Amino acid sequence: MSWRLRIRHTTGYAYDTPVLASFNEARLTPVTDVDQLTLEAQVVTSPEAEQQRYWDYWGTQVTAFDVHRPHSRLVVTATSVVDTADARPAPVVSGWDAVRSPEVRDRFVEMLTPTERTRPDEEMVVLARKAVEGLDPHDAAMAVMALAHERVAYRPGSTGVATSAQEAWSQGSGVCQDIAHVTVALLRAVGLPASYVSGYLHPRREAAIGQTVTGESHAWVEVWLGGWWAYDPTNTVPAGERHVVVGRGRDYADVPPLKGLFSGGGGHRLDVTVEVTRLQ
Amino acid sequence: MADLFEGYPVGVAWDEVLDADGRPREHSAPLVDALRELSPEDLDVRAAALASAFRDQGITFSLSGEERPFPLDVVPRVVDADEWDLVERGVSQRVRALEAFLADMAGEQAVLGDRVVPRRVVVSSSAHAPAAHGIVPPNGVRVHVSGIDLIRDEQGRFCVLEDNLRTPSGVSYVIENRRAMTRVFPELLATHRVRPVADYPAMLLAALRAAAPEGVLDPTVVVLTPGVFNSAYFEHSLLARLMGVELVEGRDLVCRDGEVWMRTTGGEQRVDVVYRRIDDDFLDPLHFRPDSLVGCPGLLNAARGGRVTLANAVGNGVADDKLVYTYVPELVRYYLGEEPLLPNVDTYRCEDPDQLPEVLDRLDQLVLKPVDGSGGKGLVIGPQASDEELATLRAQLEADPRGWIAQRVIQLSTSPTKTPDGIAPRHVDLRPFAVNDGDRVWVLPGGLTRVALPEGSLVVNSSQGGGSKDTWVLARDEVVAEGETTHDDLLPAAPEGRLLDMGNAVLADQQQQQQQGRVTC
């Protein structure tokens, strides 16, 4: 059964002294593809700014804007209404040849190559390879996801925006961004193409229609098993009707919800809220 | 009178002037005759005059942070009209193929689908710039300016050594070398019908104007430099002056609502075309290095919106990556349906598991080059390397085979060069410069001849102790010799109006962590 969700994602920056100019890119608009239909989407900024929209290399819709008058506060509000679909069954893959052929390796080379944030250390590689010994690709993917979930405990505030997979692994904790990075690193280490997915999660399995709840900016992974398959290693469930995809990339750096530069301003404080309402 | 060529040795390398029997090649006979008229003392005087001309103008290069004069050899290199014809057609062909490759990579990527080039080769290039994806250059040109490095092998064949499609430098030396030679050696020039090089700034300006966003009738062009500490600053300022356009730094520009403006004492002025001499990584801190202070935030999105043209385009480096270089002859066939006029130097792809073992076996016989090095940086000449250097190299290769290519040691052609012991052969290469205005690829008749000054040295880069020679491309007999024109006749004077110094804005990163620790997940 599919769900219809409304998302309201508000990001506020408060600056110690007024900012004179800022340049920003928001990746906050959910994708439309076979499993998801974005019915409405808009990004509103305060102060108001002219917006430029484009689709980036990874297929994510970007809203770029810059502000050129002094401001002490910048608020970006993204709202969208999205139809999501049930989790897909994992693709049936015949064997390792199908996912490790030279053609597959070349086609998905970017999703097989470690990035700065997803480079595994030796222990990660050794344990991942050991975990998948004798398994077919699907079971191997499940084993690796379980390993990531087991080794990196979900602990809010234990990591920061720039934390790498190695750091989260060695400290044994992180948030979903870190768990997704670790999972992606381990999947790639065993030769499975994997991408990082940025989006939202409705926190309740049995969500009441019409009730607005506090949701999450969330991250999970997709793995290539002869077809892309989305799985949420933080919650150990396949991504389904509660998950809203905004973008896919090699790691967080390809799909940051908001990134920007500002001049002046000194320090700043960040305040983020995500509200999710199941509409049907 | 002593013959300056007496005792001039003929070696394995092809000599540009004398043939294997020590006789002047046909096109170089007038040069040899003229030089034979000179006494060594006279040559010394001319050489000293050239050196002081350069020093007085501040034409230097920086070597490890220290400014040094870039020595101009007193003996020019003469290129025959027929040979130049091949160079011109070959360089133009190559640039057209590389333009087609870049356009394809930005679009449907047919070259990957057709398996001419593996996808991994392109996306693993350090110059691969996903951030520039989707920028469509107004007149289709991405390689407005290129420098294609050529060498001549032992048989006298011109081969391509590397392509430079990002921000190739050196054309200022071509212009200044000619100016100095005209002053110091007027009678030698008079004995040859040499094609002029002073058209370059006008051709460049025309190409930049032709690249302006659609609908802009009288585009404003600027030259964007990283600043006075850049080793090519002299060139940036020279080109801006000769084109009659403003030389700006990142802090002189501001992007607002998708447009680019230049701060001047007369107020802000719209900018339509930026001839940028800043590397991709430093160009726009919003998309590349956020700590860059020499760039300007917003430039990339302004170009994406079609409101400004960046020349050269961002991301060109994937096409001049030295591993991609090994595929260029195939690219010429694939895109143009032509045979390459200028061959590549035979090259091993260390990334290829079938080729790596042979390279490792023969490290002491090959030249190893980092794929993204320029200016001869990181290059190792096997036969001249110590055992220790070879061991280090082996470890580097095994750790990062994608990072290296290998070539056989080619004895670059030699050209008579003034040395403390008289005229002697020294190895040279040639960097012709090409300008693409969208209608045709024009190759400057001349180019930069670099010369390795130490005896036997094969490394010609200015950063490695090289000098240069004025390169004389001879006009065809049937063509009425073109007069030497000076750029002063061709171009308007630089506009008045100083740039306002706004100081470096402090740019700070703002981004948010995915799911900054909240309720459930």
Side-chain angles (χ1 to χ4, degrees), chain B residues 117-131:
Chain B
V117 181
R119 185 180 175 81
R120 66 167 189 280
V121 167
V122 179
V123 300
S124 63
S125 167
S126 61
H128 175 55

Side-chain angles (χ1 to χ4, degrees), chain B residues 7-255:
Chain B
Y8 186 88
V10 178
V12 187
W14 175 273
D15 193 83
E16 298 285 335
V17 166
L18 300 182
D19 66 18
D21 301 322
R23 284 188 300 262
R25 300 186 189 279
E26 198 186 333
H27 71 278
S28 52
L31 175 72
V32 173
D33 289 346
L35 289 174
R36 282 189 165 136
E37 301 279 303
L38 291 173
S39 68
E41 295 72 29
D42 194 1
L43 205 61
D44 286 344
V45 170
R46 312 270 185 160
L50 280 180
S52 70
F54 265 41
R55 222 173 20 245
D56 294 349
Q57 285 194 69
I59 304 171
T60 57
F61 69 93
S62 71
L63 180 59
S64 315
E66 189 190 337
E67 295 293 322
R68 299 192 184 180
F70 187 48
L72 168 59
D73 182 51
V74 69
V75 184
R77 179 205 203 153
V78 180
V79 183
D80 161 68
D82 285 340
E83 286 201 308
W84 185 258
D85 186 55
L86 173 70
V87 167
E88 200 170 32
R89 287 185 299 126
V91 166
S92 158
Q93 177 192 55
R94 198 155 172 115
V95 173
R96 283 182 288 122
L98 291 166
E99 281 276 17
F101 172 63
L102 287 167
D104 188 19
M105 287 310 303
E108 58 179 322
Q109 306 192 332
V111 71
L112 305 183
D114 290 340
R115 300 181 187 237
V116 178
V117 181
R119 185 180 175 81
R120 66 167 189 280
V121 167
V122 179
V123 300
S124 63
S125 167
S126 61
H128 175 55
H133 184 81
I135 297 179
V136 182
N139 66 341
V141 177
R142 289 180 173 80
V143 187
H144 306 81
V145 180
S146 51
I148 308 297
D149 289 353
L150 307 179
I151 55 154
R152 220 201 264 263
D153 68 10
E154 296 85 345
Q155 283 73 48
R157 257 187 344 161
F158 276 113
C159 308
V160 179
L161 194 63
E162 66 181 65
D163 306 292
N164 295 279
L165 312 180
R166 306 175 204 200
T167 55
S169 65
V171 76
S172 56
Y173 297 121
V174 177
I175 295 168
E176 289 299 327
N177 285 356
R178 182 63 52 81
R179 293 223 280 208
M181 287 295 281
T182 309
R183 228 169 25 242
V184 170
F185 240 146
E187 76 279 21
L188 191 58
L189 257 166
T191 60
H192 291 75
R193 284 160 52 181
V194 179
R195 295 178 62 186
V197 296
D199 299 350
Y200 181 84
M203 297 302 278
L204 175 59
L205 182 60
L208 294 171
R209 290 174 61 93
E214 213 171 314
V216 179
L217 297 178
D218 185 17
T220 298
V221 177
V222 297
V223 177
L224 175 61
T225 176
V228 292
F229 298 111
N230 185 271
S231 63
Y233 182 76
F234 169 77
E235 178 159 310
H236 308 159
S237 64
L238 181 77
L239 290 176
R241 185 160 53 81
L242 295 181
M243 289 195 289
V245 306
E246 211 63 75
L247 177 70
V248 302
E249 296 182 27
R251 62 191 175 182
D252 303 319
L253 297 178
V254 59
C255 298

